[in-house]
Amino acid sequence: FSAALRTFQSAYDIAPSDLSYYCSWAQVELELGLLDECMDKFNMVLDADDVNTRYNAAFGLASCMLLSARRKAEEGKSGDALACLQKGIESLSSLMQGDGKTSEVTFYCAFKLLGDLHNAGSILPSSVFNGTKQKISFIEKGEDAYKEIVKSVENRPTSVGDEEEGIVSILTKAYSDIGINILLRARILGEMLHEGSGLESSTILHIAKEGKIGNLLDLA
């Protein structure tokens, strides 16, 4: 990794305005946990709005934001952690347009990461979402992302051989992620119901009804 960083630095010294290698450079920094540095580079590539590098930069930035959110949560900076998750989600939004030019693997990876960003909201206190209902709603959007993978796989033509095995693996993982998402929401709701949230029964029933999560405990 150190040798790779030195090579990228040499390239920068020669052609600092050439952004073609920035995503690779940032990816190495991401592997090393140099989140501020890789974030800057991914943002520079996105600002250039080059169709050839936009996906890698957007996906890389979202990955960076997920790791940053987890780090800030560990540091007790819950508000900053949520901001990182929201920025990661925003970064991926341009990849969800379904313009027909996105490869299947790209599509699956983007929605997988989008779901993971929403799932990560479970590690944050409800207060940063302005309430338990909003927290559960935030996490629930992760299930929607994973379901997009399932829908895409189920609607694709039948494949054979190694390709079919890969598709089965993707589908299995997507269903697993959906199950984890439901379990996360069920636990939050269960804690609210059984550990004393201080809410009146009518408020709890309203959350269950409006948030469409009344059957979460049964599903989990």
Side-chain angles (χ1 to χ4, degrees), residues 159-206:
S159 54
V160 296
D162 293 340
E163 183 181 359
E164 178 62 20
E165 290 182 6
I167 292 301
V168 170
S169 177
I170 290 172
L171 189 60
T172 301
K173 180 58 178 174
Y175 276 123
S176 175
D177 286 332
I178 290 171
I180 291 172
N181 182 281
I182 292 172
L183 178 59
L184 290 172
R185 287 181 281 142
R187 284 175 173 170
I188 295 168
L189 182 60
E191 290 171 1
M192 182 180 69
L193 291 172
H194 299 298
E195 295 183 5
S197 63
L199 297 177
E200 295 182 358
S201 298
S202 59
T203 304
I204 293 175
L205 290 174
H206 176 74

Side-chain angles (χ1 to χ4, degrees), residues 129-140:
F129 297 92
N130 296 319
T132 303
K133 176 183 175 181
Q134 290 82 354
K135 177 178 179 178
I136 292 175
S137 178
F138 180 90
I139 298 170
E140 186 177 18

Side-chain angles (χ1 to χ4, degrees), residues 51 54 94-103:
V51 66
R54 185 172 58 221
S94 62
L95 306 179
M96 307 299 165
Q97 303 305 315
D99 57 6
K101 300 177 182 179
T102 303
S103 70

